[in-house]
Amino acid sequence: MPLEGVKVSMSAIKYKSENDKAIRIILGSDQVITGPDGRYFLEIDTKRPNELGMGALKDGYVHVWTPPRWGSANTFDFEMNPIDAGIRLTIKNESGFSGKTYALVYERDNKLNHFFYPWPVILNKGDSLSSTLHLSGGAFAEVRWGTNSNLHLPSQGGVQIDSVYCPRNDTVEYLLKL
């Protein structure tokens, strides 16, 4: 169904190496608000970006950020899911070691939707920190955590993954013990 008032944005990014460091350069970006018919038009003048990202944001709906998967005639449709559930994620350090921990939540079709802030979490033994992440219910969400700084936290190199069902109109409590 068409949705009016969605802020749609697109960014073209190029990476280059300088002094053994990767430098991220935004080549161009554009953003618009969808009209009553849910349509939008974005235009970026770029030369061979390494990455394109598109996002959609509207109050009451889960934020979407994804690489575009183009349809016919360079069109791209977003699926906007209403926020009607939550995960109250608590991270507790029981290990006795201080260190960086990265935690994120993916929902529906492996889309990254939520980072646990602060990023990364650093806790002393016995300390804990909680945050409620709002998402679309009636489905499973995936919680990933580890000490890897890769934003996608792939399922390798000590990264832990768990799934939790998020019923509509409810908040699930999730305790992550380090």
Side-chain angles (χ1 to χ4, degrees):
M1 299 296 295
L3 189 58
E4 182 177 9
V6 178
K7 184 190 304 182
V8 181
S9 61
M10 181 168 61
S11 297
I13 300 160
K14 184 145 185 112
Y15 297 96
K16 74 175 190 173
S17 179
E18 193 172 287
N19 298 327
D20 295 327
K21 293 183 182 178
I23 307 292
R24 183 176 184 238
I25 302 166
I26 297 178
L27 299 174
S29 64
D30 193 9
Q31 79 176 22
V32 296
I33 305 292
T34 59
D37 60 0
R39 294 181 181 267
Y40 64 92
F41 178 80
L42 295 168
E43 186 173 23
I44 298 178
D45 183 20
T46 66
K47 294 188 170 82
R48 302 172 140 279
N50 296 112
E51 180 180 305
L52 278 175
M54 293 191 71
L57 180 64
K58 181 174 174 71
D59 286 343
Y61 290 84
V62 176
H63 176 218
V64 176
W65 181 258
T66 185
R69 283 166 282 204
W70 302 104
S72 61
N74 290 331
T75 62
F76 183 71
D77 292 328
F78 289 96
E79 180 181 335
M80 300 292 293
N81 296 306
I83 293 173
D84 60 2
I87 295 178
R88 179 150 179 83
L89 182 60
T90 300
I91 301 175
K92 184 172 185 179
N93 184 351
E94 294 182 345
S95 71
F97 300 101
S98 295
K100 295 178 182 177
T101 299
Y102 300 86
L104 355 112
V105 174
Y106 289 72
E107 67 173 300
R108 294 190 185 200
D109 304 322
N110 208 26
K111 292 179 185 168
L112 172 61
N113 290 102
H114 312 280
F115 294 89
F116 189 96
Y117 286 103
W119 180 268
V121 178
I122 301 176
L123 298 172
N124 295 318
K125 182 178 181 176
D127 288 349
S128 65
L129 189 61
S130 295
S131 181
T132 301
L133 308 171
H134 300 282
L135 44 93
S136 182
F140 281 90
E142 190 174 88
V143 180
R144 296 185 189 189
W145 68 95
T147 57
N148 185 340
S149 63
N150 180 347
L151 294 181
H152 299 291
L153 286 179
S155 57
Q156 58 188 0
V159 172
Q160 303 293 314
I161 299 176
D162 195 10
S163 292
V164 59
Y165 184 75
C166 302
R168 293 190 190 283
N169 304 312
D170 200 1
T171 298
V172 174
E173 298 284 335
Y174 191 94
L175 176 61
L176 180 65
K177 294 180 183 179
L178 306 176

